[in-house]
Amino acid sequence: MAGSSADQGRGRRAQPPWAPPAGSEPCKLRLYNSLTRNKDVFVPQRGRRVTWYCCGPTVYDASHMGHARSYISFDILRRVLRDYFQFDVFYCMNITDIDDKIIRRARQNHLLEQYRGRRPRPAQLLQDVRAALEPLAEKLSATSDPDKKQMLERMRSAVQLAADPLEQALRTGLAAEELERRAQVLLDEARDVLSDWLDCTLGSGVTDNSIFSELPRFWEAEFHKDMAALNVLPPDVLTRVSEYVPEIVRFVQRIVDNGYGYVSGGSVYFDTVKFAASERHSYGKLVPEAVGDQQALQEGEGDLSVSAERLSEKRSPNDFALWKASKPGEPSWPSPWGKGRPGWHIECSAMAGTLLGASMDIHGGGFDLRFPHHDNELAQSEAHFENDCWVRYFLHTGHLTIAGCKMSKSLKNFVTIKDALRRHSARQLRLAFLLHSWKDTLDYSSNTMESALQYEKFMNEFFLTVKDLLRAPSDVTGRFEKWGEEEAALNESFLDKKTAVHEALCDNVDTRSALEEVRALVSQCNLYMAARKAARRRPNRALLESIAGYLTHLLQVFGAIEEESALGFPVGGPGSSLNLEGAVMPYLQALSEFRAGVRRIARERNVPEVLRLSDALRDDVLPELGVRLEDHEGLPTVVKLVDRETLLREREEKRRVEEERRRKKEEAARKKQEQEAARLAKMKIPPSEMFLSEGDKYSRFDENGLPTHDTEGKELSKGQAKKLRKLFEAQQKLHAEYLQMAPCGGAP
């Protein structure tokens, strides 16, 4: 036996060792890092755990589309890292509720309300407004920024237009009621001018800290409402400056102890010169070319903090405040250096450092925050922790413009988030952002939104069609039809598109390219379904369900689908859409099948009234309820739940197109009738008479009525005569045709 096995072994060919198939290395996530100005491979410091700090809003007014640009974009990035790449993201965001803008606005609102409460007499109001216009005129003459100058000019003109009628009324002695009415108009129009004047004259007397907390508390609540309406995920932890003052004081003290901060005039400043001279540190990592830009530095310090006195306290013009000694009319907290308040930049460093430690993976903010805010954050944090890697990846979202222009109240293109949501849904706004790179400038315009609307409609139609296919009755085995070449080709394309989407998301979360790959895949599915419909064959439902499920999940990852959905965009509203579709669709399906049976019988028995009623149900009744029926010859009626407003717009557009088609048809018929009438009139003319009426061209004719001489009596050339002969012969044929049309050879 052993010998036999050996003999068999000697005759067997040696097998090569098993080896895994050769494959390309999977792509890695790369993010555009403002620190390097390159797309860097994303490698968190602690495995799959990601620490992320995002600069939140300064809450003193309504949130606008510039805020939406940053927070929707970061929400998309956060969701992709968490739900697609499966990172464990810890997301921290701050609320700036102590700031020069907040202090000034809070004082202005408080003083204006006090002023209103005193109910000034019309003459006193007019006098105060005239006084308030004087500093406005000075500010206007000192302003070089064209947008700001335009805004101030409009403000002054509007106040002047409201003041003149009141002044005239006072001169002419109008009734008290009319004086009060005109005074109220002026008070409303001069609100901004008066509040600024009152703040300049009385602001230092505002001492109650609660006045400075009410304003940011209100606008923070409004901000959270706006974010929820935009389907922006709340942060894992939210920090407020007012709640972290002790931590900020300790953070500043550590910087001073490390030798990078100094006390001057009760304030604490960061020593940029000493920091930059250190071998371990460098200042201006993000925008080194902006270091020394005094305008940007002063804007970072705040309006209330830029004065000759404050500037003289600094060792270098580039130094910035870590802690500001509070002046009269400003909120204050105790510190080792006296009563004061935090500087703008230090708040983020202290709060992020307290929660995330000496080094975080991601820091995010708007593009305009790079210098001085983020460069100063980096410097003071690395001075505190004595390291040079406080942030590993700095992500900055691009600017937002309005129809190509910078958003500005003076240009009347200032759009709040609430205004935007009155025009478009949160999904449509998000799709507009998804169709652009998160780090590039985005133009919020009618063209941008139209692209988003068309994309939403395109995707929604695909989902509705697939859902209708899946509702068709069948047993379990009926869901798994045999694949042919078309199915194999579509599936191969599906796999290719998934790979392309993955590569796009690895490439700096390129959602624009990802959505274009999705569009191409859906187009291929539509062609496949159309070919199947033309062949009167049912598309493969399992394959289409798989594709629709993948696309639904991808849109959920992007936040474009707000909740768990079996397939596609939910219908109805958040929280109720799935119940709505599941509840009403069986009844709509039964109605559709009943209608199809009635239409079939009406056709067989030629009952047009019933067909008209069934068409009215489809075209007039059901669209009002958000239901679309699509009839296809020889195939079951397609039932789709669609937004009512969308269906009504579609119905109006259909009627407009039909009316245009009818008008064109009538116009064509009228023209044809006129042409026929003109042809008939021409046919009636005997050839012997056709030239006789042209006395302005010819003077003599032969016996057949053909011209022989022109108006001057000159004989026609042979060429002219030949041409007229051809016209004469053509009329002979035309007239003969007319005579044949007439009964018994007479005139018709």
Side-chain angles (χ1 to χ4, degrees):
M1 293 289 290
S4 176
S5 293
D7 292 340
Q8 290 178 8
R10 283 193 294 270
R12 183 181 298 161
R13 186 176 178 181
Q15 295 293 323
W18 182 89
S24 59
E25 183 180 351
C27 63
K28 298 177 180 178
L29 171 61
R30 294 177 181 272
L31 296 175
Y32 184 84
N33 187 356
S34 296
L35 284 166
T36 63
R37 302 192 184 186
N38 284 309
K39 295 177 185 177
D40 295 331
V41 175
F42 181 62
V43 182
Q45 298 174 86
R46 300 175 65 185
R48 305 297 296 176
R49 295 174 62 180
V50 176
T51 52
W52 188 335
Y53 181 84
C54 179
C55 275
T58 300
V59 283
Y60 69 101
D61 206 339
S63 302
H64 50 71
M65 284 301 292
H67 294 116
R69 170 55 167 152
S70 282
Y71 299 121
I72 290 178
S73 296
F74 282 131
D75 186 66
I76 292 167
L77 289 171
R78 177 186 176 190
R79 288 171 182 268
V80 170
L81 263 66
R82 186 192 69 175
D83 300 334
Y84 187 86
F85 290 106
Q86 300 297 305
F87 287 107
D88 183 7
V89 179
F90 180 66
Y91 191 83
C92 173
M93 187 178 79
N94 77 297
I95 294 289
T96 297
D97 60 353
I98 302 173
D99 177 81
D100 288 39
K101 295 185 181 71
I102 294 172
I103 295 169
R104 183 188 290 275
R105 182 66 60 86
R107 286 194 319 222
Q108 289 175 340
N109 290 352
H110 172 70
L111 293 169
L112 185 64
E113 286 306 308
Q114 281 190 333
Y115 184 82
R116 284 180 180 274
R118 291 196 297 268
R119 299 182 62 84
R121 299 177 68 84
Q124 182 63 51
L125 171 63
L126 187 62
Q127 180 180 340
D128 291 342
V129 169
R130 296 297 188 201
L133 285 173
E134 292 178 7
L136 177 66
E138 294 175 5
K139 186 186 296 185
L140 183 58
S141 62
T143 299
S144 58
D145 180 82
D147 290 343
K148 190 173 181 180
K149 199 175 191 70
Q150 187 181 43
M151 179 188 69
L152 294 174
E153 286 174 344
R154 286 178 177 172
M155 183 187 299
R156 183 175 65 175
S157 298
V159 172
Q160 191 65 53
L161 285 173
D164 290 344
L166 178 58
E167 186 174 20
Q168 183 181 8
L170 286 167
R171 283 200 310 267
T172 56
L174 291 181
E177 184 178 341
E178 179 61 18
L179 281 174
E180 287 297 325
R181 188 190 68 79
R182 296 190 183 189
Q184 187 59 50
V185 171
L186 176 58
L187 186 57
D188 292 340
E189 194 61 59
R191 173 189 174 90
D192 292 338
V193 175
L194 275 173
S195 62
D196 197 31
W197 174 70
L198 289 167
D199 184 51
C200 291
T201 55
L202 304 173
S204 60
V206 179
T207 57
D208 186 354
N209 264 16
S210 65
I211 293 170
F212 303 105
S213 61
E214 290 174 5
L215 178 78
R217 189 182 304 120
F218 172 81
W219 286 117
E220 181 193 334
E222 292 300 301
F223 170 77
H224 292 312
K225 291 175 186 175
D226 289 340
M227 293 301 102
L230 292 172
N231 192 31
V232 171
L233 294 170
D236 294 311
V237 60
L238 184 78
T239 63
R240 299 179 184 88
V241 182
S242 60
E243 298 171 345
Y244 276 77
V245 173
E247 288 84 352
I248 292 171
V249 169
R250 289 195 293 270
F251 202 93
V252 172
Q253 185 63 62
R254 178 70 175 274
I255 295 174
V256 173
D257 292 343
N258 287 345
Y260 298 109
Y262 59 92
V263 181
S264 179
S267 297
V268 183
Y269 293 95
F270 187 81
D271 193 333
T272 55
V273 175
K274 188 170 183 181
F275 180 80
S278 169
E279 293 182 359
R280 299 188 59 189
H281 303 297
S282 61
Y283 179 62
K285 287 184 174 181
L286 287 166
V287 196
E289 61 271 23
V291 173
D293 183 341
Q294 290 305 304
Q295 182 178 349
L297 288 166
Q298 289 180 19
E299 288 176 357
E301 291 294 84
D303 292 343
L304 301 179
S305 306
V306 178
S307 64
E309 180 185 354
R310 284 280 169 91
L311 291 174
S312 67
E313 294 173 353
K314 298 181 180 183
R315 294 176 181 174
S316 165
N318 293 343
D319 294 351
F320 53 90
L322 302 172
W323 182 263
K324 300 177 181 180
S326 291
K327 296 183 292 186
E330 297 179 2
S332 64
W333 288 262
S335 80
W337 319 286
K339 287 189 174 183
R341 57 190 176 93
W344 177 34
H345 315 298
I346 196 65
E347 62 184 55
C348 290
S349 293
M351 292 185 292
T354 299
L355 289 166
L356 307 181
S359 182
M360 71 184 77
D361 294 306
I362 298 175
H363 192 320
F367 185 82
D368 55 334
L369 294 180
R370 297 178 308 151
F371 185 88
H373 186 51
H374 286 159
D375 265 326
N376 287 354
E377 277 188 46
L378 283 167
Q380 64 200 9
S381 299
E382 292 172 0
H384 174 278
F385 291 110
E386 281 290 9
N387 64 17
D388 62 351
C389 56
W390 184 57
V391 175
R392 299 288 179 169
Y393 300 84
F394 237 123
L395 310 183
H396 288 99
T397 55
H399 286 300
L400 179 124
T401 56
I402 307 291
C405 300
K406 178 184 176 182
M407 185 166 60
S408 168
K409 288 183 178 179
S410 65
L411 299 176
K412 295 187 177 181
N413 66 350
F414 188 85
V415 181
T416 67
I417 290 173
K418 286 183 174 61
D419 289 338
L421 286 172
R422 291 187 189 102
R423 303 172 196 169
H424 299 103
S425 69
R427 178 192 302 148
Q428 290 160 355
L429 291 173
R430 185 170 289 248
L431 285 172
F433 285 26
L434 286 162
L435 288 166
H436 293 79
S437 170
W438 60 267
K439 77 176 190 65
D440 295 337
T441 297
L442 184 146
D443 187 42
Y444 176 67
S445 63
S446 57
N447 289 338
T448 299
M449 293 313 303
E450 182 60 28
S451 297
L453 292 170
Q454 291 301 321
Y455 194 93
E456 180 189 43
K457 181 179 180 181
F458 176 74
M459 294 299 299
N460 194 39
E461 287 300 318
F462 169 72
F463 288 132
L464 291 173
T465 301
V466 172
K467 285 194 278 191
D468 180 76
L469 286 171
L470 296 176
R471 284 193 298 268
S474 68
D475 55 20
V476 175
T477 59
R479 291 187 67 254
F480 299 101
E481 297 95 346
K482 179 182 177 182
W483 280 27
E485 292 181 1
E486 300 93 337
E487 287 75 22
L490 180 59
N491 186 61
E492 184 66 23
S493 179
F494 175 33
L495 297 175
D496 289 343
K497 293 303 179 187
K498 283 203 289 187
T499 300
V501 167
H502 179 69
E503 291 174 349
L505 295 182
C506 284
D507 183 14
N508 197 37
V509 190
D510 182 1
T511 56
R512 183 191 65 81
S513 295
L515 289 191
E516 289 306 317
E517 296 293 346
V518 165
R519 191 199 302 270
L521 174 59
V522 171
S523 295
Q524 290 172 322
C525 290
N526 289 339
L527 290 173
Y528 165 74
M529 289 188 286
R532 284 284 174 156
K533 183 187 294 184
R536 303 287 178 88
R537 295 171 62 192
R538 177 178 291 169
N540 189 287
R541 291 182 291 181
L543 176 56
L544 289 170
E545 182 178 17
S546 178
I547 294 173
Y550 164 76
L551 297 179
T552 299
H553 173 67
L554 189 64
L555 290 170
Q556 286 172 336
V557 168
F558 292 159
I561 294 179
E562 297 185 11
E563 53 199 54
E564 287 302 317
S565 173
L567 284 179
F569 300 134
V571 182
S576 63
S577 55
L578 291 178
N579 292 335
L580 171 67
E581 190 165 9
V584 304
M585 195 52 74
Y587 300 98
L588 291 175
Q589 201 68 42
L591 173 64
S592 173
E593 292 170 5
F594 174 77
R595 174 178 169 274
V598 170
R599 291 178 76 228
R600 185 178 63 254
I601 295 172
R603 284 180 173 178
E604 292 172 353
R605 301 186 181 182
N606 192 23
V607 188
E609 294 85 355
V610 175
L611 290 174
R612 280 196 293 271
L613 284 173
S614 64
D615 287 347
L617 177 68
R618 178 194 63 201
D619 299 334
D620 300 327
V621 178
L622 291 179
E624 294 284 351
L625 303 174
V627 179
R628 183 199 291 150
L629 298 185
E630 297 176 359
D631 293 324
H632 302 285
E633 192 66 35
L635 294 171
T637 298
V638 175
V639 184
K640 296 179 178 179
L641 278 182
V642 185
D643 174 66
R644 175 179 177 272
E645 295 303 318
T646 299
L647 289 179
L648 295 185
R649 284 196 300 270
E650 288 179 357
R651 185 173 68 183
E652 290 306 309
E653 178 63 16
K654 181 180 178 182
R655 289 175 177 173
R656 187 193 66 77
V657 170
E658 288 176 350
E659 175 62 24
E660 182 67 14
R661 189 182 295 119
R662 182 195 62 76
R663 189 190 64 77
K664 287 183 177 179
K665 187 176 180 181
E666 289 180 353
E667 180 68 15
R670 184 186 63 77
K671 286 185 178 179
K672 184 177 180 181
Q673 188 175 10
E674 290 176 354
Q675 290 170 352
E676 288 294 327
R679 185 171 182 272
L680 181 62
K682 185 178 180 181
M683 292 173 70
K684 289 181 180 180
I685 301 173
S688 59
E689 299 176 7
M690 64 180 295
F691 295 113
L692 297 180
S693 61
E694 299 182 21
D696 58 332
K697 294 182 181 180
Y698 312 109
S699 59
R700 295 173 62 182
F701 304 87
D702 65 12
E703 66 277 7
N704 295 318
L706 272 167
T708 58
H709 295 73
D710 61 18
T711 52
E712 297 177 356
K714 186 178 179 180
E715 187 175 358
L716 299 179
S717 67
K718 290 183 179 180
Q720 288 177 305
K722 185 177 179 181
K723 182 179 179 181
L724 294 175
R725 168 65 64 180
K726 285 184 178 180
L727 293 174
F728 182 86
E729 291 172 352
Q731 184 65 21
Q732 279 183 317
K733 293 180 181 179
L734 200 62
H735 188 65
E737 183 182 344
Y738 166 74
L739 294 176
Q740 290 178 357
M741 291 165 52
C744 302

